[in-house]
Amino acid sequence: MKPKIWLSSPHMSGAEQTYIKEAFDTNWVAPLGPNVNGFEQDIKSYLNQDRHVAALASGTSALHLSLILLGVSHGDEVICQSKTFSASANPIVYQGAKPIFVDSERDTWNMCPNQLEIAITDRLKKGKKPKAIIAVHLYGMPYKVEEINEIALKYDIPIIEDSAESLGSLYKGQNCGTFGDLSILSFNGNKIITTSGGGALVTKTEEQKQEAVFLATQARDNAPHYEHSQIGYNYRMSNIVAGIGRGQMTILDSHVSKRRSNYEFYKSNLAKIDIIKFLEEPIGYFSNRWLSCILLDSFETREKLRLALEKENIESRPLWKPMHLQPVFKDAPSYCNGVADDLFQKGLCLPSGSNLTPEQLDRVISTINMYFAG
């Protein structure tokens, strides 16, 4: 069997070992330590806005804490982009709240502003004002920030910005991860940079950060014994994991550049196949191209191509199945226009890692060309 080509595998810089060794040498292997503080500062500096960063165990834990900080509780409703990974929606249920799913638009594949306003006005008519909006920068492409934020402001609903896939992406020159009332990042193994697992919560105030850190460390009150007046969570990032993150931050920009180069390679080398379409960047948008995705003409074509790649030991993946189609959310209200369904039927993610070699990219292109040549 030919060597495996992964969809998006971890890509180390080599600098990670320095920070990890320092943690071992100084015996800072406990959940907190200098690497945690340093990693938070590295992210804060990179985002280049007046924001505060709490390093956590995952992007999912950051989303969960965001909902808690916004006061989401049992019986509340939270609007969530339907076209996303389930981790965007699951924390809503953790809080006993109800997800309300909103469809996509075709310019960015993200939350549709028109459908968002339809959803809000309908929930208001039903006597329920949504407590928050979770908007996602899908595959690294920023959502329509101005339009979504304008609607949120109009109805006084806070935005949780899910930037799990978009570290290094820009909207009109400003970093994704700085547009929400609260924002989250992910450093899962397949992301633009990785700490093996991990995430971060980005807040507008130091007070919000400290409340998140308090909750993330089991909500221990200030006492010489273990005293708890709130429910807490084991959500803090460890000093070892943060050391990996510090090393990864040194090559974030080069990873973005390589992934964008992958996208351009696919686009130029598949240009003659008319039924393959790519998601272009609107004016003012800069995507990290976390994953290079294509649209085909039908579900049948997409599946046949995916299987042809799989036969050659090349990993690809359909675009996210919308949340409103997931069995676990079958009873959740949704406001749909058909875009997310169509993207799922026709969309495919191609290998996109920053460590792909020219030979591997050529192998992907060759396999696709052979499939369309019959």
Side-chain angles (χ1 to χ4, degrees), residues 130-150:
K131 205 70 177 282
I133 298 166
I134 298 176
V136 186
H137 303 297
L138 201 65
Y139 301 119
M141 182 64 73
Y143 59 75
K144 293 189 172 182
V145 172
E146 288 183 8
E147 291 93 327
I148 298 295
N149 283 10
E150 183 179 333

Side-chain angles (χ1 to χ4, degrees), residues 262-278 292-296 305 309 348 350-351 361-372:
N262 292 340
Y263 169 86
E264 293 299 335
F265 180 85
Y266 286 133
K267 186 179 173 185
S268 62
N269 282 275
L270 298 174
K272 293 181 180 179
I273 304 175
D274 292 338
I275 67 170
I276 293 181
K277 307 297 181 186
F278 289 84
S292 292
C293 306
I294 58 175
L295 286 182
L296 299 153
L305 178 57
L309 289 163
L348 190 68
L350 300 178
L361 287 167
D362 285 339
R363 215 176 107 199
V364 176
I365 291 296
S366 176
T367 302
I368 295 174
N369 284 332
M370 284 192 296
Y371 167 77
F372 282 103

Side-chain angles (χ1 to χ4, degrees), residues 17-33:
Q17 291 288 354
T18 301
Y19 295 101
I20 295 170
K21 183 177 184 301
E22 182 180 343
F24 275 96
D25 289 347
T26 58
N27 204 33
W28 277 108
V29 295
L32 300 176

